[in-house]
Amino acid sequence: MNKRPYTIKLYMPNGNPNSIKIIEKMNWTGVGIEMSRDDWETHKSRKEFDQAGIYVLIGYAENSDLPTIYIGQGDGIRKRIESHYKEKEFWEKLIVFVSSNKGLNRGHITWLEYELIKIAREHKRCILDNGNSPNEPILTEAEKADTNEFLQEMLSIFPLVEVKIFDKAKIIDVKQHNKKALKENKTIQDTVVVPANEDGFNETFLNQNCWYAIRISGGKLNEIKYIAAYQTAPISAITYYAEVESIEAYGDGSKYKLNFKGKAKKIEPIKFTGATQGILQSPRYTNIEKLLQAKSWKDVF
């Protein structure tokens, strides 16, 4: 997607930004609508839903760190969305795109659906509720060029409504970031300690050589070089650590995936006996030298 300055116009029909937004962009023939599921019944009669368009349903399934999405299209999208309102429980938010001059036809919206599904599958930042991947519809060279322009405008709008699943996750090179951090601060907290239950620890930390769905403070991203696992009860101890090779955005929010540089290394368990309850229910930060020399949890933090 080309990076160029642009202006967005947001209109809130009922004055509530958490209810419905109408999104327009200078020199674009499209219109976007962002709406909460709770407001569908109130606003479903809007004329935009009479048109051919493409839509994305977004929400979170139970016990999932990744958002679940469904990408659809229709000649008149109201009926399609109404059926999803009754039959699909996961979604909390709806994003719709239609043409302001009714210039989208069946071929255009089918191609847009095909492309969005392809992008979502490639970036792997969500769980797709769609079944099989559709085949690419046949468009003339000129039609494809015009429809691709419409797609690029859509992609520029998604992040503005907090939808990042169609952006490729930026990968942070830990080695390069740590060089910068060391110049600025010699006593950085370069190790994040994360709680891990038995299943997640064995499957992900030890076998996949990574750990994900971690919330990391923005100021810590350029410091982290190591990750350590605190195995929850009944072990209740820090037992392994690994060097981090890269960090990338995970899912649609402010969570990250840490990729290891090789296998995690076992250390003498650092027991949390006598620690304050809940001390490691979320990530904590320390220094690798402190971690490797620690005899108790008090030495770590």
Side-chain angles (χ1 to χ4, degrees):
M1 183 172 65
N2 294 329
K3 303 294 184 182
R4 60 187 187 276
Y6 60 92
T7 300
I8 291 288
K9 177 183 175 182
L10 296 179
Y11 170 59
M12 273 62 76
N14 60 4
N16 181 1
N18 297 316
S19 171
I20 179 172
K21 298 184 186 78
I22 309 301
I23 307 161
E24 296 177 321
K25 190 173 180 181
M26 187 71 73
N27 299 321
W28 181 42
T29 59
V31 175
I33 299 176
E34 180 201 21
M35 183 192 301
S36 69
R37 180 194 183 102
D38 291 341
D39 289 284
W40 169 249
E41 289 287 350
T42 302
H43 298 289
K44 67 182 181 180
S45 61
R46 289 188 65 91
K47 64 181 185 337
E48 291 92 346
F49 300 126
D50 294 328
Q51 300 182 45
I54 183 161
Y55 58 89
V56 182
L57 309 176
I58 304 168
Y60 280 83
E62 189 175 356
N63 299 322
S64 175
D65 294 310
L66 289 174
T68 296
I69 72 165
Y70 179 87
I71 301 167
Q73 48 82 16
D75 288 323
I77 55 178
R78 181 184 294 108
K79 185 181 292 187
R80 296 293 308 277
I81 298 170
E82 179 69 15
S83 69
H84 299 322
Y85 179 75
K86 296 175 180 177
E87 297 170 6
K88 292 184 181 294
E89 296 183 353
F90 75 85
W91 64 279
E92 305 162 355
K93 181 162 70 173
L94 164 71
I95 313 250
V96 168
F97 292 97
V98 298
S99 172
S100 58
N101 60 7
K102 299 184 179 180
L104 292 176
N105 62 31
R106 181 71 175 179
H108 300 146
I109 58 176
T110 304
W111 188 86
L112 290 168
E113 177 191 43
Y114 161 80
E115 280 294 316
L116 284 182
I117 290 175
K118 185 175 74 170
I119 292 169
R121 289 194 190 281
E122 288 174 353
H123 293 347
K124 299 178 181 179
R125 298 184 66 175
C126 66
I127 299 169
L128 266 174
D129 191 56
N130 296 73
N132 298 327
S133 298
N135 295 321
E136 181 176 7
I138 298 173
L139 296 179
T140 67
E141 184 177 355
E143 284 180 317
K144 183 179 289 189
D146 289 342
T147 312
N148 185 59
E149 282 298 313
F150 196 95
L151 172 67
Q152 297 308 312
E153 301 289 5
M154 290 168 52
L155 293 175
S156 72
I157 289 172
F158 278 121
L160 298 176
V161 290
E162 298 300 316
V163 176
K164 303 172 185 176
I165 51 181
F166 299 110
D167 284 344
K168 186 175 182 180
K170 181 181 178 182
I171 297 179
I172 298 171
D173 187 319
V174 169
K175 186 176 180 181
Q176 293 300 318
H177 265 243
N178 272 270
K179 284 181 180 179
K180 180 181 178 182
L182 285 170
K183 289 180 181 179
E184 298 172 353
N185 185 351
K186 293 183 180 179
T187 57
I188 62 173
Q189 291 182 308
D190 60 4
T191 304
V192 58
V193 183
V194 295
N197 60 36
E198 184 177 1
D199 291 341
F201 173 74
N202 290 327
E203 174 62 27
T204 308
F205 203 95
L206 294 185
N207 293 330
Q208 295 181 22
N209 303 321
C210 66
W211 195 249
Y212 47 83
I214 309 172
R215 292 193 182 276
I216 300 175
S217 305
K220 296 294 184 184
L221 278 175
N222 66 342
E223 295 184 1
I224 292 174
K225 191 176 179 181
Y226 300 93
I227 182 171
Y230 164 74
Q231 290 186 254
T232 54
I235 295 176
S236 301
I238 299 173
T239 56
Y240 279 80
Y241 82 98
E243 186 174 356
V244 177
E245 183 171 53
S246 65
I247 302 172
E248 59 186 282
Y250 184 82
D252 202 29
S254 56
K255 295 183 180 181
Y256 296 89
K257 177 184 177 185
L258 276 59
N259 302 303
F260 303 169
K261 187 177 181 180
K263 292 285 186 181
K265 298 178 182 178
K266 191 173 184 179
I267 59 174
E268 191 68 27
I270 303 171
K271 290 285 186 179
F272 271 54
T273 306
T276 304
Q277 187 174 7
I279 191 173
L280 251 174
Q281 292 182 346
S282 59
R284 295 284 301 273
Y285 302 95
T286 186
N287 182 275
I288 191 64
E289 284 77 16
K290 276 188 177 182
L291 179 76
L292 296 181
Q293 295 171 14
K295 302 299 182 183
S296 72
W297 67 270
K298 292 181 180 180
D299 299 327
V300 178
F301 306 113

